[in-house]
mmCIF file with all atom_site columns, all heavy atoms in Angstrom:
data_model
loop_
_atom_site.group_PDB
_atom_site.id
_atom_site.type_symbol
_atom_site.label_atom_id
_atom_site.label_alt_id
_atom_site.label_comp_id
_atom_site.label_asym_id
_atom_site.label_entity_id
_atom_site.label_seq_id
_atom_site.pdbx_PDB_ins_code
_atom_site.Cartn_x
_atom_site.Cartn_y
_atom_site.Cartn_z
_atom_site.occupancy
_atom_site.B_iso_or_equiv
_atom_site.pdbx_formal_charge
_atom_site.auth_seq_id
_atom_site.auth_comp_id
_atom_site.auth_asym_id
_atom_site.auth_atom_id
_atom_site.pdbx_PDB_model_num
ATOM 1   N N   . LEU A 1 164 ? -2.556  -19.180 -14.840 1.00 98.00 ? 164 LEU A N   1
ATOM 2   C CA  . LEU A 1 164 ? -1.523  -20.015 -15.408 1.00 98.00 ? 164 LEU A CA  1
ATOM 3   C C   . LEU A 1 164 ? -1.989  -21.408 -15.774 1.00 98.00 ? 164 LEU A C   1
ATOM 4   O O   . LEU A 1 164 ? -1.725  -22.032 -16.870 1.00 98.00 ? 164 LEU A O   1
ATOM 5   C CB  . LEU A 1 164 ? -0.288  -20.167 -14.507 1.00 98.00 ? 164 LEU A CB  1
ATOM 6   C CG  . LEU A 1 164 ? 0.443   -18.800 -14.204 1.00 98.00 ? 164 LEU A CG  1
ATOM 7   C CD1 . LEU A 1 164 ? 1.661   -19.012 -13.213 1.00 98.00 ? 164 LEU A CD1 1
ATOM 8   C CD2 . LEU A 1 164 ? 0.948   -18.202 -15.528 1.00 98.00 ? 164 LEU A CD2 1
ATOM 9   N N   . ALA A 1 165 ? -2.814  -22.026 -14.889 1.00 98.00 ? 165 ALA A N   1
ATOM 10  C CA  . ALA A 1 165 ? -3.473  -23.325 -15.066 1.00 98.00 ? 165 ALA A CA  1
ATOM 11  C C   . ALA A 1 165 ? -4.269  -23.353 -16.431 1.00 98.00 ? 165 ALA A C   1
ATOM 12  O O   . ALA A 1 165 ? -4.236  -24.272 -17.245 1.00 98.00 ? 165 ALA A O   1
ATOM 13  C CB  . ALA A 1 165 ? -4.292  -23.723 -13.922 1.00 98.00 ? 165 ALA A CB  1
ATOM 14  N N   . GLU A 1 166 ? -5.005  -22.199 -16.537 1.00 98.00 ? 166 GLU A N   1
ATOM 15  C CA  . GLU A 1 166 ? -5.943  -22.062 -17.767 1.00 98.00 ? 166 GLU A CA  1
ATOM 16  C C   . GLU A 1 166 ? -4.982  -22.108 -19.082 1.00 98.00 ? 166 GLU A C   1
ATOM 17  O O   . GLU A 1 166 ? -5.349  -22.661 -20.085 1.00 98.00 ? 166 GLU A O   1
ATOM 18  C CB  . GLU A 1 166 ? -6.688  -20.730 -17.630 1.00 98.00 ? 166 GLU A CB  1
ATOM 19  C CG  . GLU A 1 166 ? -7.675  -20.499 -18.765 1.00 98.00 ? 166 GLU A CG  1
ATOM 20  C CD  . GLU A 1 166 ? -8.692  -21.618 -18.973 1.00 98.00 ? 166 GLU A CD  1
ATOM 21  O OE1 . GLU A 1 166 ? -9.015  -22.266 -17.870 1.00 98.00 ? 166 GLU A OE1 1
ATOM 22  O OE2 . GLU A 1 166 ? -9.229  -21.797 -20.036 1.00 98.00 ? 166 GLU A OE2 1
ATOM 23  N N   . GLU A 1 167 ? -3.837  -21.295 -18.990 1.00 98.00 ? 167 GLU A N   1
ATOM 24  C CA  . GLU A 1 167 ? -2.951  -21.285 -20.109 1.00 98.00 ? 167 GLU A CA  1
ATOM 25  C C   . GLU A 1 167 ? -2.314  -22.531 -20.448 1.00 98.00 ? 167 GLU A C   1
ATOM 26  O O   . GLU A 1 167 ? -2.110  -22.966 -21.609 1.00 98.00 ? 167 GLU A O   1
ATOM 27  C CB  . GLU A 1 167 ? -1.939  -20.241 -19.901 1.00 98.00 ? 167 GLU A CB  1
ATOM 28  C CG  . GLU A 1 167 ? -2.487  -18.779 -20.057 1.00 98.00 ? 167 GLU A CG  1
ATOM 29  C CD  . GLU A 1 167 ? -1.515  -17.735 -19.630 1.00 98.00 ? 167 GLU A CD  1
ATOM 30  O OE1 . GLU A 1 167 ? -0.319  -17.771 -19.884 1.00 98.00 ? 167 GLU A OE1 1
ATOM 31  O OE2 . GLU A 1 167 ? -2.021  -16.677 -18.977 1.00 98.00 ? 167 GLU A OE2 1
ATOM 32  N N   . VAL A 1 168 ? -2.067  -23.390 -19.365 1.00 98.00 ? 168 VAL A N   1
ATOM 33  C CA  . VAL A 1 168 ? -1.455  -24.751 -19.627 1.00 98.00 ? 168 VAL A CA  1
ATOM 34  C C   . VAL A 1 168 ? -2.560  -25.591 -20.185 1.00 98.00 ? 168 VAL A C   1
ATOM 35  O O   . VAL A 1 168 ? -2.318  -26.308 -21.249 1.00 98.00 ? 168 VAL A O   1
ATOM 36  C CB  . VAL A 1 168 ? -0.982  -25.341 -18.296 1.00 98.00 ? 168 VAL A CB  1
ATOM 37  C CG1 . VAL A 1 168 ? -0.718  -26.857 -18.435 1.00 98.00 ? 168 VAL A CG1 1
ATOM 38  C CG2 . VAL A 1 168 ? 0.260   -24.634 -17.663 1.00 98.00 ? 168 VAL A CG2 1
ATOM 39  N N   . ARG A 1 169 ? -3.786  -25.428 -19.752 1.00 98.00 ? 169 ARG A N   1
ATOM 40  C CA  . ARG A 1 169 ? -4.898  -26.215 -20.320 1.00 98.00 ? 169 ARG A CA  1
ATOM 41  C C   . ARG A 1 169 ? -5.096  -25.960 -21.760 1.00 98.00 ? 169 ARG A C   1
ATOM 42  O O   . ARG A 1 169 ? -5.287  -26.809 -22.565 1.00 98.00 ? 169 ARG A O   1
ATOM 43  C CB  . ARG A 1 169 ? -6.126  -25.942 -19.505 1.00 98.00 ? 169 ARG A CB  1
ATOM 44  C CG  . ARG A 1 169 ? -7.330  -26.879 -19.880 1.00 98.00 ? 169 ARG A CG  1
ATOM 45  C CD  . ARG A 1 169 ? -8.464  -26.639 -18.923 1.00 98.00 ? 169 ARG A CD  1
ATOM 46  N NE  . ARG A 1 169 ? -9.133  -25.322 -19.219 1.00 98.00 ? 169 ARG A NE  1
ATOM 47  C CZ  . ARG A 1 169 ? -10.158 -25.313 -20.012 1.00 98.00 ? 169 ARG A CZ  1
ATOM 48  N NH1 . ARG A 1 169 ? -10.562 -26.258 -20.678 1.00 98.00 ? 169 ARG A NH1 1
ATOM 49  N NH2 . ARG A 1 169 ? -10.708 -24.088 -20.248 1.00 98.00 ? 169 ARG A NH2 1
ATOM 50  N N   . ARG A 1 170 ? -4.894  -24.797 -22.198 1.00 98.00 ? 170 ARG A N   1
ATOM 51  C CA  . ARG A 1 170 ? -5.063  -24.310 -23.618 1.00 98.00 ? 170 ARG A CA  1
ATOM 52  C C   . ARG A 1 170 ? -3.864  -24.542 -24.368 1.00 98.00 ? 170 ARG A C   1
ATOM 53  O O   . ARG A 1 170 ? -3.775  -24.213 -25.611 1.00 98.00 ? 170 ARG A O   1
ATOM 54  C CB  . ARG A 1 170 ? -5.358  -22.883 -23.695 1.00 98.00 ? 170 ARG A CB  1
ATOM 55  C CG  . ARG A 1 170 ? -6.771  -22.498 -23.261 1.00 98.00 ? 170 ARG A CG  1
ATOM 56  C CD  . ARG A 1 170 ? -6.945  -21.030 -23.064 1.00 98.00 ? 170 ARG A CD  1
ATOM 57  N NE  . ARG A 1 170 ? -8.232  -20.674 -22.493 1.00 98.00 ? 170 ARG A NE  1
ATOM 58  C CZ  . ARG A 1 170 ? -9.345  -20.355 -23.135 1.00 98.00 ? 170 ARG A CZ  1
ATOM 59  N NH1 . ARG A 1 170 ? -9.379  -20.206 -24.408 1.00 98.00 ? 170 ARG A NH1 1
ATOM 60  N NH2 . ARG A 1 170 ? -10.495 -20.141 -22.538 1.00 98.00 ? 170 ARG A NH2 1
ATOM 61  N N   . GLY A 1 171 ? -2.852  -25.137 -23.841 1.00 98.00 ? 171 GLY A N   1
ATOM 62  C CA  . GLY A 1 171 ? -1.572  -25.430 -24.536 1.00 98.00 ? 171 GLY A CA  1
ATOM 63  C C   . GLY A 1 171 ? -0.672  -24.250 -24.844 1.00 98.00 ? 171 GLY A C   1
ATOM 64  O O   . GLY A 1 171 ? 0.208   -24.412 -25.665 1.00 98.00 ? 171 GLY A O   1
ATOM 65  N N   . ARG A 1 172 ? -0.939  -23.152 -24.203 1.00 98.00 ? 172 ARG A N   1
ATOM 66  C CA  . ARG A 1 172 ? -0.132  -22.003 -24.445 1.00 98.00 ? 172 ARG A CA  1
ATOM 67  C C   . ARG A 1 172 ? 1.145   -21.823 -23.563 1.00 98.00 ? 172 ARG A C   1
ATOM 68  O O   . ARG A 1 172 ? 1.982   -21.061 -23.726 1.00 98.00 ? 172 ARG A O   1
ATOM 69  C CB  . ARG A 1 172 ? -0.908  -20.731 -24.246 1.00 98.00 ? 172 ARG A CB  1
ATOM 70  C CG  . ARG A 1 172 ? -1.960  -20.552 -25.239 1.00 98.00 ? 172 ARG A CG  1
ATOM 71  C CD  . ARG A 1 172 ? -2.587  -19.072 -25.032 1.00 98.00 ? 172 ARG A CD  1
ATOM 72  N NE  . ARG A 1 172 ? -3.900  -19.043 -25.632 1.00 98.00 ? 172 ARG A NE  1
ATOM 73  C CZ  . ARG A 1 172 ? -4.935  -18.359 -25.206 1.00 98.00 ? 172 ARG A CZ  1
ATOM 74  N NH1 . ARG A 1 172 ? -4.864  -17.746 -24.131 1.00 98.00 ? 172 ARG A NH1 1
ATOM 75  N NH2 . ARG A 1 172 ? -6.094  -18.258 -25.918 1.00 98.00 ? 172 ARG A NH2 1
ATOM 76  N N   . LEU A 1 173 ? 1.107   -22.700 -22.641 1.00 98.00 ? 173 LEU A N   1
ATOM 77  C CA  . LEU A 1 173 ? 2.214   -22.707 -21.580 1.00 98.00 ? 173 LEU A CA  1
ATOM 78  C C   . LEU A 1 173 ? 2.502   -24.107 -21.110 1.00 98.00 ? 173 LEU A C   1
ATOM 79  O O   . LEU A 1 173 ? 1.655   -24.932 -20.972 1.00 98.00 ? 173 LEU A O   1
ATOM 80  C CB  . LEU A 1 173 ? 1.737   -21.791 -20.383 1.00 98.00 ? 173 LEU A CB  1
ATOM 81  C CG  . LEU A 1 173 ? 2.728   -21.554 -19.279 1.00 98.00 ? 173 LEU A CG  1
ATOM 82  C CD1 . LEU A 1 173 ? 3.736   -20.482 -19.686 1.00 98.00 ? 173 LEU A CD1 1
ATOM 83  C CD2 . LEU A 1 173 ? 1.966   -20.887 -18.095 1.00 98.00 ? 173 LEU A CD2 1
ATOM 84  N N   . ARG A 1 174 ? 3.880   -24.306 -20.918 1.00 98.00 ? 174 ARG A N   1
ATOM 85  C CA  . ARG A 1 174 ? 4.187   -25.698 -20.370 1.00 98.00 ? 174 ARG A CA  1
ATOM 86  C C   . ARG A 1 174 ? 4.487   -25.568 -18.869 1.00 98.00 ? 174 ARG A C   1
ATOM 87  O O   . ARG A 1 174 ? 5.071   -24.567 -18.407 1.00 98.00 ? 174 ARG A O   1
ATOM 88  C CB  . ARG A 1 174 ? 5.506   -26.165 -20.963 1.00 98.00 ? 174 ARG A CB  1
ATOM 89  C CG  . ARG A 1 174 ? 5.314   -26.495 -22.424 1.00 98.00 ? 174 ARG A CG  1
ATOM 90  C CD  . ARG A 1 174 ? 6.543   -26.930 -23.136 1.00 98.00 ? 174 ARG A CD  1
ATOM 91  N NE  . ARG A 1 174 ? 7.710   -25.934 -22.810 1.00 98.00 ? 174 ARG A NE  1
ATOM 92  C CZ  . ARG A 1 174 ? 8.923   -26.122 -23.095 1.00 98.00 ? 174 ARG A CZ  1
ATOM 93  N NH1 . ARG A 1 174 ? 9.394   -27.300 -23.593 1.00 98.00 ? 174 ARG A NH1 1
ATOM 94  N NH2 . ARG A 1 174 ? 9.943   -25.256 -22.734 1.00 98.00 ? 174 ARG A NH2 1
ATOM 95  N N   . PRO A 1 175 ? 4.068   -26.463 -17.999 1.00 98.00 ? 175 PRO A N   1
ATOM 96  C CA  . PRO A 1 175 ? 4.226   -26.433 -16.574 1.00 98.00 ? 175 PRO A CA  1
ATOM 97  C C   . PRO A 1 175 ? 5.694   -26.079 -16.207 1.00 98.00 ? 175 PRO A C   1
ATOM 98  O O   . PRO A 1 175 ? 5.951   -25.324 -15.307 1.00 98.00 ? 175 PRO A O   1
ATOM 99  C CB  . PRO A 1 175 ? 3.929   -27.799 -16.057 1.00 98.00 ? 175 PRO A CB  1
ATOM 100 C CG  . PRO A 1 175 ? 2.876   -28.310 -17.019 1.00 98.00 ? 175 PRO A CG  1
ATOM 101 C CD  . PRO A 1 175 ? 3.366   -27.756 -18.408 1.00 98.00 ? 175 PRO A CD  1
ATOM 102 N N   . GLU A 1 176 ? 6.609   -26.635 -16.972 1.00 98.00 ? 176 GLU A N   1
ATOM 103 C CA  . GLU A 1 176 ? 8.041   -26.487 -16.572 1.00 98.00 ? 176 GLU A CA  1
ATOM 104 C C   . GLU A 1 176 ? 8.555   -25.015 -16.973 1.00 98.00 ? 176 GLU A C   1
ATOM 105 O O   . GLU A 1 176 ? 9.560   -24.618 -16.513 1.00 98.00 ? 176 GLU A O   1
ATOM 106 C CB  . GLU A 1 176 ? 8.972   -27.456 -17.293 1.00 98.00 ? 176 GLU A CB  1
ATOM 107 C CG  . GLU A 1 176 ? 8.876   -27.505 -18.866 1.00 98.00 ? 176 GLU A CG  1
ATOM 108 C CD  . GLU A 1 176 ? 7.861   -28.529 -19.361 1.00 98.00 ? 176 GLU A CD  1
ATOM 109 O OE1 . GLU A 1 176 ? 6.875   -28.765 -18.637 1.00 98.00 ? 176 GLU A OE1 1
ATOM 110 O OE2 . GLU A 1 176 ? 8.026   -29.145 -20.392 1.00 98.00 ? 176 GLU A OE2 1
ATOM 111 N N   . ASP A 1 177 ? 7.700   -24.215 -17.663 1.00 98.00 ? 177 ASP A N   1
ATOM 112 C CA  . ASP A 1 177 ? 8.045   -22.831 -17.930 1.00 98.00 ? 177 ASP A CA  1
ATOM 113 C C   . ASP A 1 177 ? 7.533   -21.881 -16.854 1.00 98.00 ? 177 ASP A C   1
ATOM 114 O O   . ASP A 1 177 ? 7.819   -20.681 -16.874 1.00 98.00 ? 177 ASP A O   1
ATOM 115 C CB  . ASP A 1 177 ? 7.493   -22.393 -19.276 1.00 98.00 ? 177 ASP A CB  1
ATOM 116 C CG  . ASP A 1 177 ? 8.198   -22.989 -20.419 1.00 98.00 ? 177 ASP A CG  1
ATOM 117 O OD1 . ASP A 1 177 ? 9.330   -23.428 -20.256 1.00 98.00 ? 177 ASP A OD1 1
ATOM 118 O OD2 . ASP A 1 177 ? 7.504   -23.283 -21.367 1.00 98.00 ? 177 ASP A OD2 1
ATOM 119 N N   . ILE A 1 178 ? 6.816   -22.490 -15.956 1.00 98.00 ? 178 ILE A N   1
ATOM 120 C CA  . ILE A 1 178 ? 6.369   -21.616 -14.768 1.00 98.00 ? 178 ILE A CA  1
ATOM 121 C C   . ILE A 1 178 ? 7.454   -21.415 -13.757 1.00 98.00 ? 178 ILE A C   1
ATOM 122 O O   . ILE A 1 178 ? 7.932   -22.371 -12.998 1.00 98.00 ? 178 ILE A O   1
ATOM 123 C CB  . ILE A 1 178 ? 5.129   -22.218 -14.032 1.00 98.00 ? 178 ILE A CB  1
ATOM 124 C CG1 . ILE A 1 178 ? 3.946   -22.412 -15.102 1.00 98.00 ? 178 ILE A CG1 1
ATOM 125 C CG2 . ILE A 1 178 ? 4.707   -21.378 -12.874 1.00 98.00 ? 178 ILE A CG2 1
ATOM 126 C CD1 . ILE A 1 178 ? 2.744   -22.969 -14.479 1.00 98.00 ? 178 ILE A CD1 1
ATOM 127 N N   . SER A 1 179 ? 8.001   -20.125 -13.686 1.00 98.00 ? 179 SER A N   1
ATOM 128 C CA  . SER A 1 179 ? 9.188   -19.841 -12.814 1.00 98.00 ? 179 SER A CA  1
ATOM 129 C C   . SER A 1 179 ? 8.718   -18.847 -11.847 1.00 98.00 ? 179 SER A C   1
ATOM 130 O O   . SER A 1 179 ? 7.600   -18.245 -11.954 1.00 98.00 ? 179 SER A O   1
ATOM 131 C CB  . SER A 1 179 ? 10.325  -19.314 -13.718 1.00 98.00 ? 179 SER A CB  1
ATOM 132 O OG  . SER A 1 179 ? 9.878   -18.078 -14.296 1.00 98.00 ? 179 SER A OG  1
ATOM 133 N N   . GLU A 1 180 ? 9.570   -18.555 -10.843 1.00 98.00 ? 180 GLU A N   1
ATOM 134 C CA  . GLU A 1 180 ? 9.249   -17.452 -9.859  1.00 98.00 ? 180 GLU A CA  1
ATOM 135 C C   . GLU A 1 180 ? 9.061   -16.173 -10.687 1.00 98.00 ? 180 GLU A C   1
ATOM 136 O O   . GLU A 1 180 ? 8.161   -15.259 -10.320 1.00 98.00 ? 180 GLU A O   1
ATOM 137 C CB  . GLU A 1 180 ? 10.440  -17.341 -8.881  1.00 98.00 ? 180 GLU A CB  1
ATOM 138 C CG  . GLU A 1 180 ? 10.441  -18.532 -7.930  1.00 98.00 ? 180 GLU A CG  1
ATOM 139 C CD  . GLU A 1 180 ? 11.511  -18.391 -6.840  1.00 98.00 ? 180 GLU A CD  1
ATOM 140 O OE1 . GLU A 1 180 ? 12.066  -17.267 -6.650  1.00 98.00 ? 180 GLU A OE1 1
ATOM 141 O OE2 . GLU A 1 180 ? 11.887  -19.410 -6.201  1.00 98.00 ? 180 GLU A OE2 1
#
Side-chain angles (χ1 to χ4, degrees):
L164 296 177
E166 184 61 27
E167 287 172 36
V168 169
R169 194 171 68 90
R170 289 170 187 261
R172 292 192 197 138
L173 185 69
R174 294 176 309 169
E176 57 270 34
D177 292 332
I178 299 176
S179 61
E180 291 183 14

